[in-house]
Amino acid sequence: MALLAVRLLRPQRISVTRMWVAPLVLCVLTTWVIYANNMLNPTPPFEIAAGLAVGGLAGLPFGVLRGVHTDVRPTDRPGVMYLGSSWATLAIFVGAFVLRFGVRELMPQRGSLSATVGDALLAFAIVFIVASYYVIFRKYEALVKV
């Protein structure tokens, strides 16, 4: 989390390829968390899928909004851009994990419901990041073509 905070709280130079590494790592981490949680507290697959779908759909507009408002500038090297800082991304990602923990602590007797809500929060965070990076990538492409 500390490394993520440092990277997101200051402007950074990032390659287009490296920009997609963070969402991939987060997807792997989320998959592992959902699997591990399912081993401890079994949840029907359709509930997991429903939670992921609802969380993803909720995260999409916020990700697009973040991408639209992020400062993007090309550098002198092809495939590399300056990306403005984003405390909102860090706040949403950390908030999703904190809310997930809170839901599990407040609703331990609810079993699969708390797991589904937790999974939805993780999906929200990941879709938020992926959608924002997609919009940022499109902005970068438009700047490079000019």
Side-chain angles (χ1 to χ4, degrees), residues 58-129:
L60 187 62
F62 291 101
V64 169
L65 188 63
R66 185 256 174 165
V68 167
H69 292 288
T70 299
D71 181 38
V72 178
R73 294 175 292 146
T75 64
D76 54 343
R77 292 180 34 199
V80 178
M81 68 180 104
Y82 281 110
L83 195 59
S85 63
S86 177
W87 61 267
T89 302
L90 179 64
I92 286 179
F93 190 68
V94 170
F97 272 100
V98 168
L99 285 172
R100 184 177 189 278
F101 177 77
V103 164
R104 289 181 55 157
E105 288 300 312
L106 294 173
M107 299 178 16
Q109 73 281 6
R110 301 274 193 266
S112 67
L113 177 61
S114 64
T116 302
V117 171
D119 296 345
L121 289 167
L122 292 177
F124 176 89
I126 289 175
V127 170
F128 170 83
I129 292 171

Side-chain angles (χ1 to χ4, degrees), residues 10-96:
R10 62 185 173 97
Q12 58 184 320
R13 216 166 79 164
I14 187 169
S15 72
V16 173
T17 305
R18 195 179 73 160
M19 181 175 71
W20 294 108
V21 171
L24 288 174
V25 169
L26 294 175
C27 284
V28 169
L29 177 64
T30 298
T31 303
W32 178 77
V33 166
I34 291 171
Y35 173 77
N37 187 48
N38 199 33
M39 290 295 108
L40 296 173
N41 185 14
T43 305
F46 70 89
E47 287 184 21
I48 294 172
L52 293 174
V54 169
L57 288 173
L60 187 62
F62 291 101
V64 169
L65 188 63
R66 185 256 174 165
V68 167
H69 292 288
T70 299
D71 181 38
V72 178
R73 294 175 292 146
T75 64
D76 54 343
R77 292 180 34 199
V80 178
M81 68 180 104
Y82 281 110
L83 195 59
S85 63
S86 177
W87 61 267
T89 302
L90 179 64
I92 286 179
F93 190 68
V94 170

Side-chain angles (χ1 to χ4, degrees), residues 123-143:
F124 176 89
I126 289 175
V127 170
F128 170 83
I129 292 171
V130 170
S132 65
Y133 279 176
Y134 177 76
V135 172
I136 289 167
F137 176 70
R138 299 293 300 199
K139 285 171 70 173
Y140 172 74
E141 281 186 326
L143 289 170

